[in-house]
Amino acid sequence: MASSCWGLPDFLCGAPEMSGSAMRAMRRTIDTGFRDMVRGASSYIDAATAPVQSFLNTLEGLFVNTPWIVVFLVLVGITWGTSRSWKITAGAGVALIGIGWFGLWNDSMITLSMVTVCTLVAVIIGLPIGILTARSDRAQRIITPVLDVMQTMPSFVYLIPVVVIFGIGKVPGMIAVVIYAMPPMIRLTNLGIRLVDREAIEAADAFGSSERQKLWNVQLPLALPTLMTGVNQTIMMALSMVVVASMVGVGGLGRNVLQAINNQFFTIGFLNGFALVAIAITFDRASQAYGKRLQRHKEVSDE
C-alpha cells in the first residue's frame, strides 16, 4: 500500500481502472474493426477524395507555375478590392515582395493554394450547417456539443483518424485542416442569422415571403458582416493548422518549419514563420476591412 493512502482500504487507495488484459482486448477489437472497415471502404474513399485532390493539384499548379508578377498583381488587386485601403494593399505588396526576396515564393504559393481550398470547403460545408442550427433549436442543441469537442480537441489528434482512413498526403492534411477550421464558420453563421432584427423578419412575413425568400433576401444579407467574421476566423485557423498538417505530407511553409524544428535551423524556421505571419496578417486585415465596409453599407441601408 502506498504511504499516501492514509490507512484507507485498498479499493479506496488507488483510482479504479480497467485490467490490462481487458484494455488490450478493447484496443485490439476497436483498432482491428476500424482498420477492416477502412480497408473495405478504400475504393469509395479514393473515389470521394479524387475531385478534391484534382482541385487542389490544379490550384497549386496555377499558383506555382504562373509568372510571379501575374500572381503578385492579382493578389494585390484582390487585397485592394476587398479592403479599399492603400495601407493594407501596400502592406500586402511589401509582404509578398519580402516572401519572394527570401526565396519562399513557391512554398508560399503552395500554402496559399492549400488555405484557399480548405477555406472554400469549410465555408461550403459550414454555411448550411450554420443555417440549420439557426433555424432549429434542436439542431443547435445537437451540433453545439460537437463543435465544442472539435474546438477543444488538440490539433494533433485530428491527424490520427485522418491518417488511418486516408493515409499520408495532401488530401488527408486538407481534411484535418477543414475539420479544425470549420467550427467558427458554423457558430458565426448561426449567431448572425439569429441576431437579424425581428422587425425585418416580420416585415418579410407581412409581404408573404417564403422561408427560402426570407433566408436569401433578408437573413443572409443582414448577417453578412458576421458571416465575413466567420470566414476570417476560418482562414486564420486554417493557416494555424498548416504547420501541424505538414506532418502528414502537406508541403509549403509548414513543411519548412517542421524541417527547421527537426534540424534546429533557427533562421529558416523564423523566416518561414514570418512568411506565414505576413500571409495571415494580410488575410486578416483585408477580410476585416471588407467586413467593416459591409457593416457600414448595412447601416447606411438601414437609415
Side-chain angles (χ1 to χ4, degrees), residues 94-105 107 256 267-268 271-272 274-275:
V94 171
L96 289 171
I97 290 175
I99 287 171
W101 184 258
F102 289 109
L104 301 172
W105 184 264
D107 291 325
N256 295 349
T267 306
I268 293 176
L271 284 177
N272 283 273
F274 280 128

Coordinates of all heavy atoms in Angstrom, one line a residue, residues 94-105 107 256 267-268 271-272 274-275:
V94 N 4.3 44.7 -50.0 CA 5.6 44.6 -49.3 C 5.8 43.2 -48.8 O 6.9 42.6 -48.9 CB 5.8 45.6 -48.2 CG1 7.0 45.4 -47.4 CG2 5.8 47.0 -48.8
A95 N 4.8 42.6 -48.2 CA 4.9 41.2 -47.6 C 5.2 40.2 -48.7 O 6.1 39.3 -48.6 CB 3.6 40.9 -46.9
L96 N 4.5 40.3 -49.9 CA 4.7 39.4 -51.0 C 6.1 39.5 -51.6 O 6.8 38.5 -51.9 CB 3.7 39.6 -52.1 CG 2.3 39.2 -51.7 CD1 1.3 39.6 -52.8 CD2 2.2 37.7 -51.6
I97 N 6.6 40.8 -51.7 CA 8.0 41.0 -52.2 C 9.0 40.4 -51.2 O 10.0 39.8 -51.6 CB 8.2 42.5 -52.5 CG1 7.4 43.0 -53.7 CG2 9.7 42.8 -52.7 CD1 7.4 44.5 -53.9
G98 N 8.7 40.6 -49.9 CA 9.7 40.1 -48.9 C 9.7 38.6 -49.0 O 10.8 38.0 -48.9
I99 N 8.5 38.0 -49.2 CA 8.5 36.5 -49.3 C 9.3 36.0 -50.5 O 10.0 35.0 -50.4 CB 7.0 36.0 -49.4 CG1 6.3 36.2 -48.0 CG2 6.9 34.6 -49.9 CD1 4.8 36.0 -48.1
G100 N 9.1 36.7 -51.6 CA 9.9 36.3 -52.8 C 11.4 36.5 -52.6 O 12.2 35.7 -53.1
W101 N 11.7 37.7 -51.9 CA 13.1 38.0 -51.8 C 13.9 37.0 -51.0 O 15.1 36.7 -51.2 CB 13.2 39.4 -51.0 CG 14.6 39.9 -50.9 CD1 15.3 39.9 -49.8 CD2 15.3 40.6 -51.9 NE1 16.5 40.5 -50.0 CE2 16.6 40.9 -51.3 CE3 15.1 40.9 -53.2 CZ2 17.6 41.6 -52.0 CZ3 16.1 41.6 -53.9 CH2 17.3 41.9 -53.3
F102 N 13.2 36.4 -50.0 CA 13.9 35.3 -49.2 C 13.7 33.9 -49.8 O 14.0 32.9 -49.1 CB 13.4 35.4 -47.8 CG 13.8 36.6 -47.0 CD1 12.9 37.6 -46.7 CD2 15.1 36.7 -46.6 CE1 13.3 38.7 -46.0 CE2 15.6 37.9 -45.9 CZ 14.7 38.9 -45.6
G103 N 13.3 33.8 -51.0 CA 13.2 32.5 -51.7 C 12.1 31.6 -51.2 O 12.2 30.4 -51.3
L104 N 11.0 32.2 -50.7 CA 9.9 31.4 -50.2 C 8.7 31.5 -51.1 O 7.6 31.2 -50.6 CB 9.6 31.9 -48.8 CG 10.7 31.8 -47.7 CD1 10.3 32.4 -46.4 CD2 11.1 30.3 -47.5
W105 N 8.8 32.0 -52.3 CA 7.6 32.3 -53.1 C 6.9 31.0 -53.4 O 5.7 30.9 -53.2 CB 8.1 32.9 -54.5 CG 6.9 33.3 -55.3 CD1 6.4 32.6 -56.3 CD2 6.1 34.5 -55.2 NE1 5.3 33.2 -56.9 CE2 5.1 34.4 -56.2 CE3 6.1 35.6 -54.3 CZ2 4.1 35.4 -56.3 CZ3 5.2 36.6 -54.5 CH2 4.2 36.5 -55.5
D107 N 6.9 28.0 -52.0 CA 6.3 27.4 -50.8 C 5.1 28.2 -50.3 O 4.1 27.6 -49.9 CB 7.4 27.3 -49.7 CG 8.5 26.3 -50.0 OD1 8.1 25.2 -50.7 OD2 9.6 26.5 -49.7
N256 N 8.5 23.4 -44.3 CA 9.8 24.0 -44.0 C 10.0 24.3 -42.5 O 11.1 24.1 -41.9 CB 9.9 25.3 -44.8 CG 10.0 25.1 -46.3 OD1 10.1 24.0 -46.7 ND2 9.8 26.2 -47.0
T267 N 17.2 30.2 -38.4 CA 16.9 31.2 -39.3 C 15.8 30.8 -40.3 O 14.9 31.5 -40.5 CB 18.2 31.6 -40.1 OG1 19.2 32.0 -39.2 CG2 17.9 32.8 -41.0
I268 N 15.9 29.6 -40.8 CA 14.9 29.1 -41.8 C 13.6 29.0 -41.1 O 12.5 29.3 -41.7 CB 15.4 27.7 -42.3 CG1 16.6 27.8 -43.2 CG2 14.3 27.0 -43.1 CD1 17.2 26.5 -43.7
L271 N 12.2 32.5 -40.7 CA 11.8 33.2 -42.0 C 10.5 32.6 -42.5 O 9.6 33.3 -42.9 CB 12.9 33.0 -43.0 CG 14.1 33.8 -42.9 CD1 15.2 33.4 -43.9 CD2 13.8 35.3 -43.0
N272 N 10.3 31.2 -42.4 CA 9.1 30.6 -42.9 C 7.9 31.0 -41.9 O 6.8 31.2 -42.4 CB 9.2 29.1 -42.9 CG 10.0 28.7 -44.1 OD1 9.4 28.4 -45.2 ND2 11.3 28.5 -44.0
F274 N 7.7 33.8 -40.3 CA 7.3 35.2 -40.6 C 6.5 35.3 -41.9 O 5.6 36.1 -42.0 CB 8.6 36.1 -40.7 CG 9.1 36.5 -39.3 CD1 10.4 36.3 -39.0 CD2 8.2 37.1 -38.4 CE1 10.9 36.7 -37.7 CE2 8.7 37.5 -37.2 CZ 10.0 37.3 -36.8
A275 N 6.8 34.4 -42.8 CA 6.0 34.4 -44.1 C 4.6 34.0 -43.8 O 3.6 34.6 -44.3 CB 6.7 33.4 -45.1

